Amino acid sequence: MGALTPLLLPGMLMLMCGLLLHAPSRHGARVKKPNFIIILADDIGWGDLDANQGEGKSNNTPHLNLMAEQGLRLTDFHSPASTCSPSRAAILTGRYGLRNGVTHNFAASSVAGLPLSEVTLPRLLQKAAYHTAMIGKWHLGHNGPYGPTSRGFDYYLGVPYSNDMGCTDAPGYNLPPCPACDSALTRSHERPRDCYSKVGLPLMENSRIVEQPLDPWTLTERYASAATRIIHAARQRGRPYLLYMALAHVHVPLTPPPAPDASGADVFAASLREMDRLVGAVKSASDAADKDDTLILFTGDNGPWERKCQYSGSVGPFVGKWQRSRGGGSAKQTTWEGGHRVPTVAYWPGRIPANTTSSALLSGMDIFPTLLSLAEVSPPVDRRYDGIDATNVLLHGGQTGHEFLFHPNSGAAGRFGDLQTVRTGTHKAFYITGAAEACGGATGRPQLHEPPLIFDLQRGEAEETPLRVGTPEYRAIAERVARGREALLWDIATDGSVSTADYSANASAAPCCEPTRAACRCNAHTDTHTDTHTDTHTHTIG
Ligand SMILES: *[C@@H]1O[C@H](CO)[C@@H](O)[C@H](O)[C@H]1NC(C)=O
Ligand SMILES: *[C@@H]1O[C@H](CO)[C@@H](O)[C@H](O)[C@H]1NC(C)=O
């Protein structure tokens, strides 16, 4: 590990300490390494978990509430970025986008993905004899060597990117941004142009397209049965496993079972309840197979997509008032709390104390070093990491997380990857503020803050009133965050293992089973269920 730290910067040591203090191997080898199930919800808000909202406010997540009661609720846990690809890249590499190269989203036509120089969590567990499986949304490049089965997963079933990035014949609530390409249109000469600029949404198994366009209404059941199959097969095999489940819930298009009243709010709540039942089904399968040896972690990839109005989730009290009063959204795509503070629950009977909470400042990047530590696997020493080993928080009631946690710009105006804000203790400093599009279309301008805008989240989780510049408290925090930020920037600047992602696009890079057919159709199902699909897919999970 010595080779990692030629520069003994305090900030850097802090960032690395989780890895440097890697738990020594226990005396007498553990008979069994633990299984890991990581469930990542899409576009979920901190307030969407009932248990975060307090008694009686809502009743949409009973299975997750129970999991929290039997485990640990992490209340100050953050997605590593405020949009999809950079968040997932940081989770799987334990590194900020400034190091792993993924600073914004990939497109359906992206030629590449997560740089091949990056080492992934599944790859390291795979080498340590874990069976590694992924279900759901990948969004880190789908071409050739960039797909999940080339990046450390033994098995993959899912959608290569977001479920609104393509046409489907059976769109859900808030349609994908292109008209459905029905078979009548593919025969006619009056094909809508959009139908050709977007390919049909594919469902992939390993590196093969199994259905295109995919019927999104079938995903929940497919994911539930695949997860159950994987858990049972792992038990038969007698090898530990990693199951990474990146759900389509609750990203639009929403495809919940029919709601009694199809108003927008009910559609979102029904979708949330469906997600909760899916999580419950996975937990039941795991409990039945290997309860005492399985860690389940539920978290989110970023905050709610506010501009989807009634089809987006709840940030709870983290409403970003400073930004809102100036126009624009303050959730997904932004570095306001609503953009990255995500509902998180950890469950491991007998190992994680039941019915506990921790307000340790943690990040999705910590999943990488924490799982490796629990599996007693050492990460490669030829690179630097930003995640910390949170074993002490998970297993021993620890309340200490990151000394500094940085939030990169990943979608609001400004340069991608820029470290806009710094968290330390209960304080949060903004060097740059930026807004996303709000429901209704309002946007705000990005603004530089010199000196930084500093909020104390303990005094106001809504980020409304910044500290007065020049007070002793302000000066102390400003000095501290400047030091932390400089240390990190210096550490990245001197990191010989920084990767650069290729974001080039080429229409022919989109996954397509039959390029000559509209929407790249294959295995096209019969076109009999245009409006009746909600009735034909009854939901049997839960
Ligand atoms: C969990 O903790 C809460 C609050 O401390 C308490 O009201 C509740 O009864 C506990 N639940 C269980 C199952 O122990
Ligand atoms: C796009 O990809 C196709 C097929 O691989 C290739 O022939 C073409 O030159 C590429 N176009 C660009 C602009 O790179």
Side-chain angles (χ1 to χ4, degrees):
M1 283 274 170
L4 271 173
T5 55
L7 301 153
L8 297 178
L9 293 164
M12 180 180 142
L13 276 179
M14 229 69 79
L15 290 158
M16 312 248 342
C17 66
L19 290 168
L20 292 173
L21 301 179
H22 207 289
S25 301
R26 289 173 186 86
H27 296 290
R30 256 175 76 87
V31 183
K32 228 172 156 192
K33 296 200 178 206
N35 307 310
F36 303 119
I37 301 178
I38 305 299
I39 305 176
L40 190 69
D42 201 337
D43 289 0
I44 198 167
W46 190 91
D48 289 326
L49 176 66
D50 300 335
N52 278 347
Q53 288 278 25
E55 226 30 52
K57 288 261 175 62
S58 53
N59 187 23
N60 293 321
T61 60
H63 294 96
L64 278 164
N65 301 343
L66 179 64
M67 199 162 114
E69 221 174 80
Q70 299 170 338
L72 169 68
R73 188 163 53 92
L74 295 158
T75 57
D76 201 357
F77 190 102
H78 300 261
S79 59
S82 306
T83 49
C84 180
S85 302
S87 184
R88 285 155 208 255
I91 288 170
L92 294 184
T93 61
R95 286 150 56 91
Y96 286 115
L98 287 180
R99 292 190 210 270
N100 67 39
V102 181
T103 54
H104 55 290
N105 282 339
F106 291 106
S109 56
S110 283
V111 169
L114 174 67
L116 301 176
S117 46
E118 288 299 305
V119 176
T120 67
L121 175 67
R123 174 70 79 216
L124 294 171
L125 290 175
Q126 192 180 48
K127 281 192 190 158
Y130 270 72
H131 177 74
T132 56
M134 175 178 178
I135 296 172
K137 167 169 151 186
W138 171 241
H139 213 172
L140 291 173
H142 44 270
N143 251 329
Y146 292 95
T149 49
S150 303
R151 303 310 299 272
F153 287 105
D154 295 322
Y155 175 79
Y156 173 61
L157 175 76
V159 182
Y161 33 66
S162 294
N163 55 339
D164 64 343
M165 289 166 63
C167 300
T168 156
D169 295 333
Y173 291 91
N174 195 320
L175 307 185
C178 60
C181 301
D182 67 32
S183 57
L185 282 169
T186 66
R187 284 190 297 271
S188 95
H189 292 290
E190 292 158 29
R191 297 159 173 169
R193 260 189 98 247
D194 274 353
C195 190
Y196 285 96
S197 64
K198 310 260 177 181
V199 300
L201 190 64
L203 178 71
M204 321 271 305
E205 186 170 36
N206 298 325
S207 52
R208 196 172 63 92
I209 298 173
V210 292
E211 185 177 306
Q212 189 174 32
L214 154 72
D215 179 350
W217 297 82
T218 65
L219 269 188
T220 306
E221 267 194 80
R222 283 171 135 150
Y223 286 3
S225 58
T228 310
R229 214 167 54 232
I230 288 163
I231 291 166
H232 288 165
R235 185 183 163 79
Q236 304 275 310
R237 215 179 276 117
R239 264 166 64 197
Y241 67 91
L242 164 73
L243 169 59
Y244 168 46
M245 247 185 124
L247 308 179
H249 301 89
V250 281
H251 193 294
V252 295
L254 304 177
T255 54
D261 156 15
S263 77
D266 276 6
V267 167
F268 184 84
S271 191
L272 196 54
R273 286 194 295 269
E274 187 187 50
M275 178 201 78
D276 182 71
R277 282 199 303 279
L278 175 55
V279 174
V282 173
K283 178 173 176 277
S284 298
S286 161
D287 282 352
D290 213 355
K291 191 173 182 166
D292 298 336
D293 276 307
T294 308
L295 165 67
I296 306 181
L297 183 80
F298 172 91
T299 187
D301 74 331
N302 50 247
W305 202 359
E306 205 175 331
R307 78 176 166 90
K308 295 296 175 181
C309 304
Q310 75 271 34
Y311 300 127
S312 83
S314 159
V315 294
F318 301 101
V319 292
K321 278 192 181 163
W322 188 94
Q323 185 63 59
R324 271 177 197 230
S325 65
R326 286 159 179 80
S330 55
K332 174 175 174 174
Q333 294 175 302
T334 78
T335 52
W336 298 96
E337 287 297 284
H340 48 73
R341 191 185 287 238
V342 282
T344 304
V345 177
Y347 166 79
W348 188 357
R351 297 297 300 277
I352 293 179
N355 207 17
T356 51
T357 62
S358 175
S359 59
L361 179 57
L362 294 177
S363 157
M365 289 186 300
D366 305 336
I367 292 171
F368 179 101
T370 304
L371 266 50
L372 291 182
S373 166
L374 290 167
E376 298 179 7
V377 173
S378 299
V381 295
D382 65 345
R383 58 199 61 225
R384 298 176 186 168
Y385 302 91
D386 300 298
I388 61 170
D389 178 357
T391 304
N392 194 43
V393 176
L394 293 189
L395 305 187
H396 309 299
Q399 296 287 331
T400 308
H402 288 254
E403 187 190 11
F404 295 106
L405 184 63
F406 300 82
H407 302 294
N409 174 34
S410 43
R415 207 175 47 165
F416 293 126
D418 268 349
L419 300 175
Q420 294 191 331
T421 60
V422 186
R423 231 339 255 295
T424 187
T426 63
H427 290 94
K428 183 172 170 191
F430 284 78
Y431 289 91
I432 306 168
T433 50
E437 190 181 323
C439 171
T443 55
R445 293 172 172 283
Q447 205 177 315
L448 291 173
H449 299 277
E450 201 62 62
L453 206 56
I454 300 179
F455 296 89
D456 179 5
L457 296 173
Q458 192 157 39
R459 267 173 268 176
E461 52 210 352
E463 297 174 286
E464 182 172 24
T465 313
L467 300 185
R468 254 190 321 115
V469 177
T471 60
E473 181 187 3
Y474 181 94
R475 285 208 304 272
I477 300 298
E479 192 271 323
R480 199 169 135 82
V481 295
R483 190 163 43 77
R485 184 170 180 249
E486 269 159 37
L488 177 70
L489 290 175
W490 177 251
D491 185 65
I492 292 172
T494 57
D495 181 353
S497 67
V498 165
S499 302
T500 308
D502 173 4
Y503 275 98
S504 62
N506 182 335
S508 67
C512 195
C513 16
E514 244 193 273
T516 55
R517 303 185 67 194
C520 302
R521 267 159 210 284
C522 64
N523 293 357
H525 23 238
T526 51
D527 295 311
T528 51
H529 65 280
T530 43
D531 281 319
T532 55
H533 49 249
T534 52
D535 299 323
T536 55
H537 301 292
T538 46
H539 294 260
T540 54
I541 56 153

Short mmCIF file of all heavy atoms in Angstrom, two decimals, residues 55 66 68-70 354-356, ligand 1:
data_model
loop_
_atom_site.label_atom_id
_atom_site.label_comp_id
_atom_site.label_asym_id
_atom_site.label_seq_id
_atom_site.Cartn_x
_atom_site.Cartn_y
_atom_site.Cartn_z
N GLU A 55 -43.56 8.24 11.05
CA GLU A 55 -44.80 7.50 11.30
C GLU A 55 -46.00 8.04 10.52
O GLU A 55 -46.29 9.24 10.56
CB GLU A 55 -45.08 7.66 12.80
CG GLU A 55 -45.48 6.49 13.66
CD GLU A 55 -44.95 5.11 13.29
OE1 GLU A 55 -43.73 4.89 13.11
OE2 GLU A 55 -45.81 4.23 13.23
N LEU A 66 -39.81 -2.76 6.77
CA LEU A 66 -39.51 -3.94 7.58
C LEU A 66 -38.02 -4.26 7.54
O LEU A 66 -37.40 -4.58 8.56
CB LEU A 66 -40.33 -5.14 7.07
CG LEU A 66 -40.11 -6.46 7.82
CD1 LEU A 66 -40.57 -6.35 9.27
CD2 LEU A 66 -40.83 -7.61 7.13
N ALA A 68 -35.70 -2.15 7.14
CA ALA A 68 -35.04 -1.16 8.00
C ALA A 68 -35.21 -1.54 9.47
O ALA A 68 -34.30 -1.38 10.28
CB ALA A 68 -35.61 0.23 7.74
N GLU A 69 -36.38 -2.05 9.82
CA GLU A 69 -36.63 -2.45 11.20
C GLU A 69 -35.77 -3.65 11.60
O GLU A 69 -35.40 -3.81 12.75
CB GLU A 69 -38.11 -2.80 11.37
CG GLU A 69 -38.70 -2.27 12.66
CD GLU A 69 -40.19 -2.50 12.72
OE1 GLU A 69 -40.62 -3.63 13.03
OE2 GLU A 69 -40.93 -1.54 12.42
N GLN A 70 -35.46 -4.48 10.61
CA GLN A 70 -34.61 -5.65 10.88
C GLN A 70 -33.15 -5.35 10.57
O GLN A 70 -32.31 -6.24 10.63
CB GLN A 70 -35.08 -6.82 10.01
CG GLN A 70 -36.52 -7.24 10.31
CD GLN A 70 -37.06 -8.24 9.29
OE1 GLN A 70 -36.57 -8.32 8.16
NE2 GLN A 70 -38.08 -8.98 9.69
N ALA A 354 -30.27 -4.81 14.42
CA ALA A 354 -31.63 -4.53 13.93
C ALA A 354 -32.15 -3.19 14.43
O ALA A 354 -31.74 -2.71 15.49
CB ALA A 354 -32.57 -5.65 14.36
N ASN A 355 -33.03 -2.62 13.64
CA ASN A 355 -33.78 -1.42 14.03
C ASN A 355 -32.87 -0.27 14.45
O ASN A 355 -33.12 0.40 15.44
CB ASN A 355 -34.75 -1.77 15.17
CG ASN A 355 -35.96 -0.85 15.19
OD1 ASN A 355 -36.25 -0.16 14.20
ND2 ASN A 355 -36.66 -0.80 16.32
N THR A 356 -31.80 -0.05 13.66
CA THR A 356 -30.88 1.03 14.00
C THR A 356 -30.80 2.02 12.84
O THR A 356 -31.19 1.71 11.71
CB THR A 356 -29.46 0.49 14.29
OG1 THR A 356 -29.05 -0.37 13.22
CG2 THR A 356 -29.43 -0.31 15.59
C1 LIG B 1 -37.77 0.01 16.42
O1 LIG B 1 -37.44 1.24 17.03
C2 LIG B 1 -38.53 2.11 17.16
C3 LIG B 1 -38.02 3.46 17.64
O2 LIG B 1 -36.95 3.33 18.51
C4 LIG B 1 -39.56 1.49 18.09
O3 LIG B 1 -40.66 2.33 18.24
C5 LIG B 1 -39.99 0.16 17.49
O4 LIG B 1 -40.88 -0.51 18.36
C6 LIG B 1 -38.80 -0.73 17.23
N1 LIG B 1 -39.24 -1.91 16.49
C7 LIG B 1 -38.87 -3.14 16.84
C8 LIG B 1 -39.40 -4.25 15.98
O5 LIG B 1 -38.15 -3.37 17.78
#
